[in-house]
């Protein structure tokens, strides 16, 4: 589900259109834009407080076989939230799960891992290397 | 991860924005004009409970709304799941905690005293009871007066329990506290706000 | 007193048309895109998100464009927009300990696990205008260094807490609802959850001035920056139908942990106290100010004498919101013709009375 929430639209739309062209998904909850109150913790690890809201789009679909999929993503992209729900519904079907994993989950997870590594590498380049000023002893 | 195959789920409003606004409007008119039948239940071709009642729940409740279901509604197949899914409402088992309640007059009876009555600071924190009725025009007549009623209004809701008149007098006596009732069938509602006063000669 | 006045519709329509024209400016200059604002004025976007109390970069960028760069107006637009949307629920509390960090510094420890990560900072710049930016220039991609996968970035306050040298944060009480000032009006005294929500949406300039005032002696609380961390955190929300918290994506936040004046008692050993700041995007000045004011507002809890404005919760919380503040200040622009007329008549009567007492002819005194 994390992969479906963070996939780019194309990372969902392309494999769904290519591999499941005849998929008829019924909207149980048509894509809907709303808010989620984001909570922080007092002092970082204490009781919750309300920090502020974020826009969220959610959708629920049902596909053949009665598999129900939930899509919910930050932002305001109704079509993408519905695609996330479709991908989740497909994943519920054990016959389809391997293909969903291979064609959607793995590529998205891999991209996110690469982006995360890039962000860490950029941060690491700004890490301070302290060196102690000479204190009168000879340096090794 | 999530639940695999689930029981079939009926659909929500065909046009969520317009249909929920119509339902809201109907509820507002019903409470503003006690005793006047208001058409309701648009956009819900396929619901497990009468559409006008379902429309009120879907339009008025959200994830912060405690909702109580009468025993006959709770056990009506697919109903609790349907209302929870489409409205996000929190189902509660204690009627005194409920902002809204759906009950069936005939199967569940009606005891107004069990619901939230509001507090002197917040009289609005009482339960609005959505009461399913077999008919809104063919019950024994009861005559009311009060705000929103020009002279008198005659209510002919079918399925009211014996002793309803006493219950309503007690409800009215607690004003501004007390519950409001919206009687519902599949295609219409009628409102009875706590401000409505039963005529003296009704029993 | 307000009186309904009709007319002025044409003037208003034309004023709005003129506003649109001024917003667009010289047509010979390219129109700015919302995507350009989002990418290149990112800190303005972050401020509008924090104080608009709505995380949506595109909406904040659009609001900035529409408001011609007036950030308080943009915040107002975002606040107005949010009222049009239904709320689906609330997230699980964000776990800042698991942040994907782009900046992380501490003023309390030089050598700390994970190190001092400067990230994209204005610190150590010389604040000299860079005229190269006035011309179009190629910007180099950021440098990279190998990442040690074993290295963790424990929060500094967790390190201090490990030695029991800092107070513990309040833990959630069973059944205690989290206060929400968008649902229930603020009442005093306000609990810390409500205070933090209020400060998180509060005006950066107001909080900065209050934070500064505590440093200058109006409610001193001896702060150290335990840690500032900036980066991305995951957002999860419980989906009741599923029975588990589903991930929704990631947001950028800034967290500031101030380590303050220690307190102890006969039964408790002395420990440092805390002030906490958290905001959307990269907003460290705001998060630091918030942490200073959070700590100042805890004066009563620690039995400190309340002598500075920053320690007065009613003063701080009632005046921190710039949308409320601008609404009340700017309403003075609305017609007050009748009030003013009443006061003018009163003034004339008083002057006429004074003149009569002084034996002057009435016409002179009352015009």
């Amino acid at each position: 589900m994390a992969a479906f929430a963070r996939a780019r639209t194309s990372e969902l739309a392309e494999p769904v259109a290519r591999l499941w062209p005849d998929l008829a998904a019924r909207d149980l909850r048509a894509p809907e834009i709303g808010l989620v109150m984001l909570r922080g913790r007092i002092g970082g690890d204490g009781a919750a407080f309300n920090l502020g809201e974020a826009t969220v789009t959610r959708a629920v679909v049902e596909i053949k076989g009665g598999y129900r999929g939930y899509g919910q993503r930050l932002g305001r992209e109704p079509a993408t939230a519905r695609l996330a729900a479709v991908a989740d519904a497909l994943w519920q079907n054990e016959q389809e799960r391997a293909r969903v994993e291979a064609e959607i989950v793995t590529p998205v997870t891999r991209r996110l891992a690469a982006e995360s590594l890039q962000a860490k590498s950029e941060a690491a380049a700004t890490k301070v290397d302290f060196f102690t000023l000479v204190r009168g002893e000879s340096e090794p | 991860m999530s639940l695999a195959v689930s029981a079939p789920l009926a659909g929500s409003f065909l046009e969520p924005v317009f249909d929920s606004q119509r339902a809201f409007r109907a509820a507002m008119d019903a409470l503003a004009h006690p005793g006047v039948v208001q058409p309701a239940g648009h956009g819900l071709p396929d619901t497990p409970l009468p559409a006008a009642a379902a429309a009120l729940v879907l339009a008025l409740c959200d994830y912060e709304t405690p909702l109580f279901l009468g025993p006959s509604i709770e056990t009506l197949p697919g109903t609790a799941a349907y209302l929870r899914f489409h409205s996000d409402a929190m189902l509660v088992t204690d009627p005194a905690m409920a902002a809204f309640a759906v009950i069936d007059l005939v199967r569940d009876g009606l005891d107004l005293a069990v619901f939230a009555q509001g507090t002197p600071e917040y009289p609005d924190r009482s339960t609005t009871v959505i009461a399913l009725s077999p008919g809104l025009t063919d019950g024994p007549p009861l005559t009311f007066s009060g705000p929103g009623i020009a002279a008198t209004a005659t209510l002919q809701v079918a399925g009211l329990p014996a002793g309803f008149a006493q219950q309503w007098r007690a409800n009215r006596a607690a004003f501004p506290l007390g519950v409001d009732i919206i009687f519902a069938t599949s295609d219409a509602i009628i409102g009875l706000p706590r401000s409505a006063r039963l005529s003296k000669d009704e029993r | 007193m307000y009186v309904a006045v009709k007319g002025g519709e044409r003037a208003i329509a034309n004023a709005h048309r003129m506003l649109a024209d001024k917003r667009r400016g010289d047509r010979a200059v390219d129109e700015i895109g919302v995507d350009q604002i989002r990418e290149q004025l990112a800190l303005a976007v972050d401020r509008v998100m924090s104080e608009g109390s709505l995380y949506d970069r595109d909406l904040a960028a659009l609001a900035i464009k529409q408001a011609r760069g007036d950030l308080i107006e943009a915040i107002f637009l975002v606040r107005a927009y949010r009222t049009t949307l239904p709320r689906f629920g609330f997230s699980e509390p964000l776990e800042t300990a698991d942040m994907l960090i782009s900046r992380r510094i501490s003023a309390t420890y030089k050598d700390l696990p994970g190190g001092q990560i400067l990230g994209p900072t204005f610190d150590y710049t010389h604040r000299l205008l860079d005229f190269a930016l006035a011309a179009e220039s190629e910007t180099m991609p950021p440098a990279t260094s190998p990442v040690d996968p074993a290295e963790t970035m424990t929060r500094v306050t967790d390190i201090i807490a490990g030695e029991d040298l800092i107070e513990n944060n309040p833990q959630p009480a069973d059944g205690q609802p989290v206060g929400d000032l968008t649902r229930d009006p603020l009442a005093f005294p306000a609990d810390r959850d409500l205070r933090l929500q209020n400060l998180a949406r509060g005006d950066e300039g107001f909080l900065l001035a209050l934070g500064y005032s505590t440093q200058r002696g109006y409610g001193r609380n001896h702060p150290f920056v335990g840690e500032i961390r900036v980066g991305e955190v995951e957002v999860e929300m419980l989906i009741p139908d599923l029975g588990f918290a589903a991930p929704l994506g990631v947001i950028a936040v800034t967290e500031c942990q101030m380590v303050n004046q220690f307190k102890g008692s006969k039964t408790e050993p002395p420990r440092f106290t805390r002030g906490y700041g958290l905001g959307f995007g990269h907003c460290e000045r705001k998060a630091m100010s918030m942490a200073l004011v959070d700590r100042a507002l805890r004066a009563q809890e620690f039995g400190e004498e309340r002598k500075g404005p920053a320690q007065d919760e009613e003063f701080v919380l009632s005046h921190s919101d710039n949308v409320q503040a601008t609404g009340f200040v700017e309403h003075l622009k609305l017609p007050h013709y009748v009030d003013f007329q009443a006061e003018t008549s009163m003034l004339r009567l008083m002057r006429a009375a004074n003149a009569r007492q002084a034996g002057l002819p009435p016409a002179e005194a009352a015009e």
Side-chain angles (χ1 to χ4, degrees):
Chain A
M1 250 184 184
F4 306 148
R6 296 191 60 193
R8 296 184 179 130
T9 307
S10 61
E11 288 172 324
L12 295 165
E14 190 280 322
V16 168
R18 175 165 49 85
L19 298 168
W20 297 278
D22 301 322
L23 186 77
R26 181 169 81 97
D27 283 329
L28 290 181
R29 179 182 284 140
E32 183 185 13
I33 296 172
L35 301 170
V36 167
M37 176 53 91
L38 302 177
R39 287 185 169 168
R41 290 184 182 281
I42 295 171
D45 63 3
F49 70 96
N50 288 312
L51 174 64
E53 289 163 317
T55 53
V56 172
T57 311
R58 65 177 185 179
V60 182
V61 300
E62 192 175 271
I63 58 171
K64 206 169 140 233
Y67 299 101
R68 197 178 286 179
Y70 285 73
Q72 49 277 314
R73 295 164 52 98
L74 291 174
R76 292 165 294 118
E77 295 175 309
T80 316
R82 190 174 187 280
L83 281 166
V86 167
D88 183 48
L90 287 165
W91 193 94
Q92 304 303 323
N93 181 346
E94 281 180 30
Q95 256 105 61
E96 301 289 0
R97 187 171 299 168
R99 280 208 292 178
V100 176
E101 285 283 343
E103 300 285 338
I104 301 177
V105 177
T106 305
V108 172
T109 311
R110 203 172 282 156
R111 171 179 63 79
L112 292 174
E115 286 173 2
S116 163
L117 181 65
Q118 175 68 19
K120 286 180 183 166
S121 309
E122 290 172 11
T126 69
K127 183 166 160 181
V128 181
D129 287 322
F130 287 104
F131 51 89
T132 308
L133 295 174
V134 179
R135 288 173 176 151
E137 297 146 46
S138 59
E139 298 229 26
Chain B
M1 199 143 85
S2 16
L3 43 155
V5 185
S6 326
L9 189 66
S12 182
F13 288 125
L14 295 175
E15 294 192 71
V17 173
F18 298 109
D19 292 333
S20 59
Q21 282 180 358
R22 283 178 90 164
F24 180 83
R25 178 81 206 189
M28 189 171 74
D29 286 344
L31 291 173
H33 304 287
V36 180
V37 175
Q38 310 286 341
H42 303 279
L44 287 175
D46 137 53
T47 73
L49 77 168
L56 292 177
V57 173
L58 301 197
L60 300 175
C61 296
D62 71 4
Y63 77 100
E64 288 175 310
T65 315
L67 174 66
F68 172 82
L69 301 180
S72 77
I73 310 287
E74 209 187 347
T75 50
L76 198 63
T79 305
Y82 171 86
L83 293 176
R84 235 214 56 67
F85 180 86
H86 287 304
S87 73
D88 287 336
M90 270 187 286
L91 296 183
V92 293
T93 51
D94 178 3
M97 299 293 293
F100 287 90
V102 185
I103 56 115
D104 185 312
L105 283 179
V106 176
R107 294 192 185 86
D108 299 326
L110 179 63
D111 181 0
L112 296 178
V114 302
F115 296 106
Q117 306 292 316
T119 65
E121 295 83 15
Y122 299 99
D124 55 303
R125 292 183 183 171
S126 65
T127 308
T128 300
V129 179
I130 299 168
L132 299 181
S133 159
L136 301 180
T137 51
D138 41 10
L142 287 173
T143 307
F144 291 88
S145 61
I149 302 170
T152 58
T154 304
L155 220 70
Q156 285 189 269
V157 172
L160 288 176
F164 177 75
Q166 284 90 328
Q167 280 200 49
W168 190 257
R169 285 212 172 83
N171 192 57
R172 183 65 185 77
F175 192 84
L177 308 191
V179 303
D180 306 305
I181 308 178
I182 301 177
F183 299 102
T185 61
S186 57
D187 60 358
I189 60 174
I190 197 164
L192 189 59
R194 68 192 85 171
S195 58
R197 195 184 291 276
L198 197 55
S199 297
K200 284 196 176 62
D201 43 338
E202 302 282 4
R203 285 191 264 170
Chain C
M1 181 181 173
Y2 303 93
V3 190
V5 181
K6 276 196 153 187
E9 283 158 45
R10 191 186 50 83
I12 291 169
N14 284 342
H16 290 167
R17 190 166 151 184
M18 187 175 179
L19 170 68
D21 174 73
K22 294 291 179 198
R23 176 191 298 129
R24 177 61 184 86
D26 184 351
R27 308 296 201 274
V29 176
D30 286 341
E31 182 171 348
I32 192 169
V34 169
D35 53 346
Q36 290 172 313
I37 295 171
R38 188 191 63 221
E39 296 301 313
Q40 298 173 39
L41 296 178
L43 299 185
V45 167
D46 289 345
R47 180 165 179 191
V48 170
M49 293 197 303
S50 267
E51 294 171 32
S53 205
L54 182 64
Y55 196 99
D56 188 313
R57 307 199 74 84
D58 294 296
L59 282 179
L62 174 62
I64 291 168
K65 177 173 176 174
Q66 187 177 332
R68 303 179 66 199
D70 177 340
L71 295 190
I72 292 182
E73 179 70 20
I75 289 159
F76 198 158
L77 291 170
V78 166
R79 290 268 188 97
Y81 177 84
R82 78 159 272 288
T83 65
T84 66
L85 295 178
R87 191 191 279 180
F88 297 153
F90 47 86
S91 78
E92 298 294 300
L94 304 172
E95 293 297 348
T96 54
D98 304 333
M99 186 184 286
L100 173 62
I101 283 177
S102 63
R103 169 167 167 78
R104 184 274 198 126
I105 54 163
S106 170
T108 52
Y109 294 108
K110 176 168 72 73
D111 299 307
L112 70 167
Q116 307 267 358
I117 310 281
L118 300 183
T121 181
F122 292 120
D123 299 348
Y124 317 110
T125 64
H126 295 104
R127 266 67 185 222
L128 299 174
L129 274 177
D130 180 359
F131 289 95
L133 285 173
E136 287 192 21
S137 58
E138 280 288 303
T139 305
M140 285 201 299
T144 56
S145 290
V147 175
D148 176 359
E151 196 163 63
T152 56
M153 290 200 224
T154 311
R155 284 184 299 215
V156 168
T157 42
D158 295 349
I159 299 170
I160 306 172
E163 291 185 67
D164 194 27
L165 293 178
I166 194 166
E167 60 162 331
N168 289 318
N169 286 310
Q171 290 307 302
D174 271 348
Q176 176 86 8
V178 180
D180 186 353
L181 53 83
T182 69
R183 288 293 198 265
D184 299 304
L186 197 57
F188 301 105
D191 286 339
R192 194 156 168 222
D193 53 352
L194 279 170
R195 300 200 301 253
L196 286 170
Q197 182 183 13
N198 176 289
L199 299 178
R201 314 156 42 99
D203 183 78
E204 178 171 322
F206 180 73
L207 297 183
L208 175 66
L210 285 174
Y212 180 42
S213 73
T214 66
Q215 292 180 279
R216 293 192 65 256
Y218 293 89
R220 199 180 288 282
N221 52 41
H222 199 60
F224 294 95
V225 170
E227 183 176 326
I228 293 170
R229 52 171 60 196
V230 184
E232 288 183 346
V233 291
E234 304 239 5
V235 179
E236 293 188 337
M237 182 170 79
L238 181 73
I239 311 287
D241 294 327
L242 300 180
F244 62 83
L248 302 181
V250 296
I251 63 164
V253 292
T254 302
E255 179 184 61
C256 175
Q257 302 259 12
M258 286 285 180
V259 176
N260 300 77
Q261 183 78 56
F262 45 80
K263 287 284 161 195
S265 67
K266 283 193 179 124
T267 54
E268 291 283 313
R271 291 187 182 91
F272 289 116
T273 57
R274 298 173 185 251
Y276 188 67
L278 186 66
F280 290 153
H282 189 166
C283 59
E284 64 191 67
R285 185 189 301 116
K286 162 75 177 270
M288 291 175 75
S289 305
M290 177 174 168
L292 289 172
V293 177
D294 172 45
R295 176 59 185 80
L297 290 175
R298 300 178 66 199
Q300 193 144 27
E301 182 186 335
F302 293 119
E304 293 162 349
E305 193 192 352
R306 295 201 301 170
K307 54 188 179 184
Q311 296 166 312
D312 180 337
E313 96 177 348
E314 195 160 343
F315 178 80
V316 173
L317 302 184
S318 302
H319 299 114
S320 62
D321 191 297
N322 53 27
V323 176
Q324 269 175 23
T326 203
F328 204 45
V329 168
E330 293 202 49
H331 107 282
L332 293 173
K333 293 184 289 191
L334 293 173
H336 286 68
Y337 307 141
V338 174
D339 308 54
F340 187 69
Q341 211 171 29
E343 298 212 359
T344 312
S345 309
M346 168 79 81
L347 192 61
R348 288 196 174 115
L349 287 172
M350 287 163 64
R351 290 178 60 149
N354 286 352
R356 267 195 307 280
Q357 279 181 355
L360 292 177
E364 265 180 53
E367 295 162 30

